[in-house]
Amino acid sequence: MAIASLVLGVLGILALAEDSKHGKEELIGMGIILSAGLALGVTSLGNKKAGKGMAIAGVVLLSLSLLVLLGSF
């Protein structure tokens, strides 16, 4: 789950850093995917297994992505 969170965080940052204009439907879809990644990261942090650093990085990237996404509305 930590790896999935990190991957979605990186993809979210890259998708929002792109210069093209996104439609409202695309932004809503990105919000859903980023929220799911954030849930995965937080759930992974609750587990006492390896990959805690990746989960923290994923949560930070996903939080930044969601903030940028909310600012683009």
Side-chain angles (χ1 to χ4, degrees), residues 17-48:
E18 188 180 4
D19 275 345
S20 67
K21 298 273 182 171
H22 298 289
K24 189 173 184 178
E25 294 85 16
E26 291 174 344
L27 292 175
I28 292 172
M30 276 193 256
I32 292 169
I33 291 172
L34 294 175
S35 298
L38 188 61
L40 284 173
V42 170
T43 303
S44 179
L45 282 175
N47 294 340
K48 301 289 182 188

Side-chain angles (χ1 to χ4, degrees), residues 11 16 21 32 36-37 61 69:
L11 290 176
L16 292 172
K21 298 273 182 171
I32 292 169
L61 288 174
L69 182 69

Side-chain angles (χ1 to χ4, degrees), residues 45-58:
L45 282 175
N47 294 340
K48 301 289 182 188
K49 295 184 179 179
K52 199 168 192 168
M54 286 189 287
I56 291 171

